[in-house]
Amino acid sequence: MWRNSVEEICRCVHELISSLSAYSNPSQVSFTNGLYFFYEKGEVSIHAPNGRVVRVGNHPYSSNGLKRRLQLHYSGNKNSSVFRKFLGGALMRRENPAHPCLPHWEKQGQPTCKVCRKVEEDVSNLLRANFYFRCVKIEDKGTRNLLEKKLIATISSCKICKPSGNWLGRYAYSDLVRSSGLWNSNYVYDGDWVMSAEDLNLLRNLIQLTRVR
Ligand SMILES: [Zn+2]
Ligand SMILES: [Zn+2]
C-alpha cells in the first residue's frame, strides 16, 4: 500500500514538523517537555526541500528537561552529549582518520586532552553556524519516548532521505549514523517501530497543540 509506505509517512512527518518554529538557541524554546529535531546546512531531500531532519532527540528520563538537554548539546561537553561526541569525532576523522585523540574522544567518560579540548569549541561553533532545530511539545513521558523511537525508525528507514555526498556524518564512528543520515544510533532502521497512519495523526495533533499558544 503506497499511501502508508514508510516513504509516504516520512514525507508527511517532514512536512508537519516544518510548520513548527525554527530555533537557533535553546533559550528561544517556550516549553520544557518535548522532542527536538535538528537540521543541518546543505542537507535536503525530495521530502524536505528546505531541510531534512538530521537528528531526533528527547530527554527520556527527566521531566521538564528539554531545554537543559538542548543546552548540553550547544554548550556542554562530549561526555554529556552523544550528539557532541558524534560531531567532534567526525570533525577529527575528516581531518585525519588516524587522529590520536579519537580513541579517548569517542570513549564515554574519558576526559579530553589539551588537543581535543579545542575540539569542544569547534563543536559548539559548528552547532551555531550549521545547525538549527524545531521542537514539538509533548508533556507525557510515555508518548514522548514512544514517538522518539518511532520517528527515528521511520526517518532512518526512508529511502529518499539520504545524506548528501559531503555530509559530515560520513566520518562518524557509528555505521548507523554514516548510512542513515541521522546523528542517531538508537532505533535506527528498527523496522518494528515504523510509524502507522495513527501515529501520524498523533504527531499532527501534538504539532497543532504546540503551535497554539
Ligand atoms: Zn585528545
Ligand atoms: Zn524521507
Side-chain angles (χ1 to χ4, degrees):
M1 250 201 337
W2 165 246
R3 276 187 61 81
N4 288 336
S5 72
V6 62
E7 278 72 29
E8 181 56 16
I9 301 261
C10 177
R11 188 190 65 73
C12 295
V13 163
H14 272 97
E15 190 179 290
L16 286 171
I17 298 173
S18 71
S19 70
L20 292 162
S21 306
Y23 303 116
S24 54
N25 186 319
S27 66
Q28 296 169 311
V29 184
S30 64
F31 45 90
T32 54
N33 287 306
L35 296 177
Y36 62 80
F37 307 92
F38 269 94
Y39 296 78
E40 185 174 352
K41 230 180 237 176
E43 293 303 311
V44 296
S45 81
I46 297 171
H47 287 167
N50 295 317
R52 67 176 182 88
V53 171
V54 297
R55 176 178 169 84
V56 180
N58 188 11
H59 49 106
Y61 310 114
S62 59
S63 287
N64 301 314
L66 175 64
K67 287 165 86 158
R68 203 182 105 79
R69 190 80 210 119
L70 286 160
Q71 265 146 10
L72 285 175
H73 293 326
Y74 274 89
S75 313
N77 59 62
K78 63 108 178 164
N79 287 322
S80 63
S81 153
V82 68
F83 188 21
R84 291 183 66 91
K85 201 184 296 136
F86 279 147
L87 291 170
L91 283 174
M92 281 187 245
R93 198 171 282 102
R94 185 171 67 180
E95 183 194 308
N96 172 9
H99 198 296
C101 286
L102 282 168
H104 54 266
W105 179 274
E106 291 180 341
K107 183 134 199 248
Q108 177 60 29
Q110 289 274 307
T112 46
C113 74
K114 238 188 344 212
V115 178
C116 55
R117 208 163 302 146
K118 158 91 179 52
V119 176
E120 294 282 17
E121 260 171 68
D122 297 340
V123 172
S124 298
N125 292 337
L126 177 74
L127 274 162
R128 281 166 180 80
N130 278 16
F131 289 79
Y132 64 95
F133 63 94
R134 296 186 159 96
C135 296
V136 58
K137 182 174 170 178
I138 308 176
E139 292 292 342
D140 180 67
K141 185 165 125 180
T143 307
R144 215 164 53 226
N145 293 355
L146 190 66
L147 261 185
E148 175 199 20
K149 194 189 300 194
K150 290 191 168 201
L151 282 159
I152 295 171
T154 302
I155 298 172
S156 64
S157 301
C158 173
K159 292 189 184 67
I160 306 282
C161 294
K162 287 292 139 202
S164 70
N166 52 9
W167 184 48
L168 177 63
R170 292 187 184 275
Y171 298 91
Y173 64 85
S174 165
D175 57 340
L176 292 169
V177 170
R178 292 197 302 269
S179 64
S180 71
L182 291 180
W183 295 101
N184 283 99
S185 53
N186 292 337
Y187 319 124
V188 165
Y189 301 139
D190 197 333
D192 293 342
W193 293 102
V194 168
M195 290 169 75
S196 64
E198 227 170 75
D199 296 326
L200 200 57
N201 278 334
L202 172 65
L203 179 68
R204 185 177 291 116
N205 289 339
L206 290 165
I207 286 177
Q208 248 156 30
L209 289 171
T210 304
R211 296 175 66 200
V212 178
R213 293 225 202 99

